[in-house]
Amino acid sequence: MGVGALRAVVSRPLVAAVVVVAVVAAGVGLYWFQPWKLWQDETVRESLPAAPSAPAPPADRETASAAPPAQAGPRTLADGDLISHEHATSGTVRLIRLPDGSHVVRLENLETSNGPDLHVWLTDAPVREGRAGWGVFDDGEYVSLGRLKGNRGDQNYALPAGVDPDAFTSVTIWCDRFDVSFGAAELERV
């Protein structure tokens, strides 16, 4: 087939429309699935939020003995191990109360696949193994703690003010784009 014959075929309206539709479909598919993220790792190494400096001791000894002891640092309220769902996922999740009374969800030694539109959710859903656990987390109550900062490492996610951490029993790495859990952990109270 010569160049002239190729031009004749491509210049036909139906063929041109098919080519345009194929190019647009490929572009949309690449945007939607973002397959290159499967080969891109983002590692985040955040420290646990530090305890604020201790207040100066009271001048009166009697007042000092009557005051309850201040919490020295962050305290783990619940923890659990991540299990795999849609993608191989491992690591530990901890629900931590900081000395100022705020709470964070901490992911430690996280290892999962990268993907489009990943978030960390605190949920009230039970953690189930296998395909039965992939899509249950948006069925009940959940709070999005923000986009996943990286698919590897140690990360902190602050709970919004007014969220009762006792109302939630699990954490999931949730893909909003495809409504599926990459992995999740049941929170066991300590």
Side-chain angles (χ1 to χ4, degrees):
M1 179 180 260
V3 174
L6 183 61
R7 248 188 231 145
V9 170
V10 173
S11 66
R12 292 185 182 149
L14 179 61
V15 173
V18 168
V19 169
V20 168
V21 167
V23 168
V24 168
V28 168
L30 285 172
Y31 169 77
W32 191 254
F33 288 97
Q34 299 177 1
W36 56 88
K37 286 195 171 191
L38 292 174
W39 295 281
Q40 294 177 332
D41 289 330
E42 295 177 41
T43 301
V44 174
R45 298 275 182 223
E46 290 183 327
S47 301
L48 187 60
S53 58
D60 184 337
R61 286 199 125 164
E62 216 171 282
T63 307
S65 63
Q71 183 178 334
R75 193 175 122 217
T76 300
L77 303 177
D79 61 12
D81 292 325
L82 287 161
I83 65 166
S84 299
H85 281 144
E86 172 67 18
H87 291 268
T89 302
S90 63
T92 303
V93 175
R94 292 177 24 191
L95 174 61
I96 299 170
R97 182 172 58 224
L98 300 175
D100 66 2
S102 64
H103 295 86
V104 297
V105 166
R106 180 162 171 82
L107 305 178
E108 295 178 332
N109 301 313
L110 173 65
E111 295 264 340
T112 192
S113 296
N114 204 342
D117 211 12
L118 296 179
H119 294 260
V120 177
W121 283 8
L122 186 62
T123 80
D124 67 353
V127 176
R128 298 184 186 130
E129 296 209 22
R131 285 188 68 98
W134 286 17
V136 301
F137 298 100
D138 59 351
D139 294 343
E141 296 294 319
Y142 62 88
V143 174
S144 177
L145 303 179
R147 286 192 175 273
L148 185 68
K149 297 172 184 177
N151 64 311
R152 303 206 183 289
D154 306 319
Q155 304 160 33
N156 303 308
Y157 296 87
L159 271 65
V163 171
D164 178 11
D166 291 331
F168 300 96
T169 58
S170 60
V171 172
T172 182
I173 311 283
W174 185 258
C175 180
D176 264 350
R177 172 100 20 107
F178 295 104
D179 290 330
V180 67
S181 171
F182 273 35
E186 191 83 37
L187 292 173
E188 305 265 337
R189 304 293 171 191
V190 293

